[in-house]
Amino acid sequence: MNADIARIVLTEERIAGKVKEAAAWLDGKFSKANTAPLFIGVLKGSVMFFCDLVRAMHTPVVIDFMKVSSYGTNASSSGMPKIEMDLSESVSGRDVVLVEDIVDSGFTLARLRELMIGRGAKTFTVVTLLDKPARRVVSVRADFACFEVGDEFIVGYGLDYAQRYRNLPYIGVLKREIYEDETKGIKR
Ligand code: PRP
């Protein structure tokens, strides 16, 4: 285990099992659709989940990505999600599936829902790896949430702290001294 991790919350095996369930749920929902649904990965956090999810599906899908940033280098949401990179595909008249790593305050999801519906998406489905309802500010919910997590500082499997830890294959709680040191300006 990485030395900066206090405790593993979700093992690689538990994540893989739930990703398969999410993929089966999506197959059930879209296997009879006339046109391939458009799967949107919200960069960067969802990238690991996104790749595992679409590979576990049998339904043909089209993929695209957006980069939305709400946190910057801080540990709490700014409330003003910024679109840093937009889609290359049009969403008009299409079944859109948004793939997130985490729904926290809900600002990002609320913004993207409004944007996709405004752009004429036929349907809008949200799949998230993690749901942290304790931190919700805006009333939004995912259609499929793999795991509900408590209000702890978690990293791994896409989730970062200051851009680090994304490539851990599991999700774990970051040791308090790691982010406390950095907020005090101590360089590690
Ligand atoms: C994270 C996460 C979600 C969003 C959720 O992205 O990937 O997109 O925050 O938070 P919210 O519900 O409070 O809006 P972040 O801005 O940290 O960027 P990243 O995915 O590149 O890490």
Side-chain angles (χ1 to χ4, degrees), residues 30 93-97 121-125:
F30 293 109
R94 298 174 83 169
D95 292 313
V96 171
V97 180
K122 184 170 82 175
T123 64
F124 184 73
T125 304

Side-chain angles (χ1 to χ4, degrees), residues 4-176:
D4 295 350
I5 301 299
R7 166 170 71 81
I8 293 179
V9 176
L10 294 168
T11 62
E12 214 174 330
E13 293 74 21
R14 267 194 84 193
I15 295 169
K18 206 69 183 179
V19 168
K20 276 193 193 150
E21 274 183 43
W25 183 80
L26 288 160
D27 277 332
K29 196 172 166 72
F30 293 109
S31 62
K32 291 189 176 68
N34 292 329
T35 50
L38 175 64
F39 273 58
I40 300 175
V42 185
L43 298 173
K44 302 175 188 170
S46 77
V47 73
M48 312 296 173
F49 177 48
F50 186 92
C51 294
D52 288 344
L53 183 68
V54 295
R55 281 184 300 177
M57 288 180 64
H58 301 294
T59 310
V61 303
V62 173
I63 67 170
D64 203 353
F65 298 93
M66 280 183 99
K67 174 139 175 54
V68 183
S69 202
S70 60
Y71 288 2
T73 50
N74 300 319
S76 62
S77 177
S78 65
M80 292 281 282
K82 193 168 156 247
I83 294 168
E84 297 185 344
M85 188 191 89
D86 210 335
L87 299 171
S88 59
E89 296 280 327
S90 163
V91 302
S92 179
R94 298 174 83 169
D95 292 313
V96 171
V97 180
L98 191 82
V99 181
E100 266 288 19
D101 54 327
I102 188 162
V103 181
D104 197 324
S105 68
F107 284 124
T108 306
L109 178 51
R111 173 85 181 94
L112 291 178
R113 181 186 294 276
E114 180 191 67
L115 191 69
M116 295 306 149
I117 288 168
R119 288 180 181 180
K122 184 170 82 175
T123 64
F124 184 73
T125 304
V126 179
V127 181
T128 186
L129 176 69
L130 305 172
D131 186 11
K132 215 185 229 189
R135 302 248 310 175
R136 200 75 94 250
V137 178
V138 194
S139 177
V140 288
R141 53 176 293 277
D143 298 285
F144 193 105
C146 293
F147 301 101
E148 194 172 299
V149 288
D151 192 9
E152 293 183 296
F153 204 132
I154 48 176
V155 294
Y157 195 66
L159 283 86
D160 74 311
Y161 170 61
Q163 300 303 329
R164 288 148 51 196
Y165 311 106
R166 291 195 199 271
N167 65 322
L168 296 178
Y170 50 81
I171 292 174
V173 177
L174 191 62
K175 284 183 181 167
R176 186 173 283 274

